[in-house]
Amino acid sequence: MKFFIDTANLQDIQEAHDLGVLDGVTTNPSLMAKEGIFGHDNVIAHYKKICDIVDGDISAEVIAVDFDGMVREGEFLAELHPNIVVKVPMIREGVKAIRHFSERGIKTNCTLVFSAGQALLAAKAGATYVSPFVGRLDDVGTDGLQLIEQIVQIYGNYGYQTQVLAASVRHVMHLIQCAEIGADVVTCPLSVITGLLHHPLTDNGLQKFLSDHAKGNV
Ligand code: G3P
């Protein structure tokens, strides 16, 4: 399973990269705004900085919601760096844009996916990734992980190449369960990735090993 970090924070991206387990980055307009990155030129410069840190797929989202606008923005974004993946919302014009990009070899991430039907459309349009939002479904009392299971099964039934990118992953158990289900990718904040590190028995065990080793030094 690939680990993507879901942030536009350069420090967090660098830290996840330094850990040696990072496969890519996902961003969205809200994550950019959270870092105070506004305006076309600043946003583009920020994508370039992310591409300089991580050698893996970097999702950059279009703002347009019409086909021509999405194509224009997406083609511009794809030209920035070979690792840019054009992130397109799951709307009618978005499906058309994904088809357009996939026919031209431009990678896409279909975002804001909340149903199996939407995921099926994304795959048929040739999306590279589909992003079902696990946490946001949980927020409204619907089982987000069940949707991941459904999509993995449907894609498996027909051999779709679209990768299931579990998004809106909020905590360690989300990530573990996505791995059990067989999601191709999870994207999550740094805290979820580093949350995998911790176990009290590891800390206690290490303390004991070190103190026993130190007995030889007295
Ligand atoms: O990848 C989508 C993600 O940014 C949404 O996460 O926590 O805002 O639902 P969240």
Side-chain angles (χ1 to χ4, degrees):
M1 184 170 68
K2 290 189 240 177
F3 282 11
F4 288 1
I5 190 166
D6 194 29
T7 186
N9 182 288
L10 297 179
Q11 268 183 332
D12 284 2
I13 293 170
Q14 186 70 55
E15 192 177 328
H17 169 73
D18 291 348
L19 192 58
V21 298
L22 190 64
D23 300 296
V25 182
T26 52
T27 62
N28 62 41
S30 303
L31 294 171
M32 283 288 186
K34 196 172 163 196
E35 300 308 317
I37 312 294
F38 295 104
H40 177 265
D41 291 355
N42 292 333
V43 168
I44 297 304
H46 205 73
Y47 286 140
K48 287 183 181 164
K49 286 181 194 165
I50 295 173
C51 290
D52 285 344
I53 300 173
V54 179
D55 184 19
D57 282 351
I58 315 293
S59 289
E61 189 157 342
V62 297
I63 304 300
V65 288
D66 63 296
F67 175 79
D68 291 336
M70 286 185 194
V71 165
R72 210 169 30 247
E73 274 183 49
E75 288 180 349
F76 177 81
L77 290 168
E79 280 292 310
L80 291 178
H81 193 281
N83 289 345
I84 290 282
V85 175
V86 180
K87 205 172 183 189
V88 178
M90 169 39 76
I91 55 176
R92 184 186 297 259
E93 299 294 285
V95 173
K96 292 185 201 168
I98 289 168
R99 163 58 58 204
H100 171 94
F101 292 132
S102 75
E103 281 169 359
R104 285 155 185 79
I106 294 175
K107 288 180 283 186
T108 53
N109 175 356
C110 182
T111 189
L112 290 167
V113 166
F114 294 94
S115 76
Q118 291 179 326
L120 195 48
L121 272 179
K124 285 192 67 70
T128 313
Y129 297 102
V130 67
S131 287
F133 279 31
V134 175
R136 290 195 194 180
L137 279 169
D138 287 357
D139 288 344
V140 296
T142 304
D143 188 345
L145 288 164
Q146 204 175 21
L147 176 61
I148 302 294
E149 236 172 73
Q150 247 185 320
I151 299 171
V152 167
Q153 186 194 331
I154 291 170
Y155 284 8
N157 286 348
Y158 298 101
Y160 287 121
Q161 295 304 299
T162 302
Q163 296 176 56
V164 180
L165 193 172
S168 186
V169 163
R170 304 259 181 82
H171 51 73
V172 169
M173 281 312 294
H174 270 160
L175 188 152
I176 301 289
Q177 285 171 302
C178 283
E180 283 175 350
I181 292 166
D184 300 287
V185 191
V186 287
T187 190
C188 56
L190 178 65
S191 59
V192 177
I193 298 175
T194 55
L196 297 172
L197 278 169
H198 304 298
H199 198 287
L201 291 178
T202 305
D203 299 340
N204 294 348
L206 181 60
Q207 208 174 13
K208 176 91 170 81
F209 286 156
L210 294 178
S211 63
D212 285 344
H213 173 78
K215 286 176 189 163
N217 298 333
V218 285

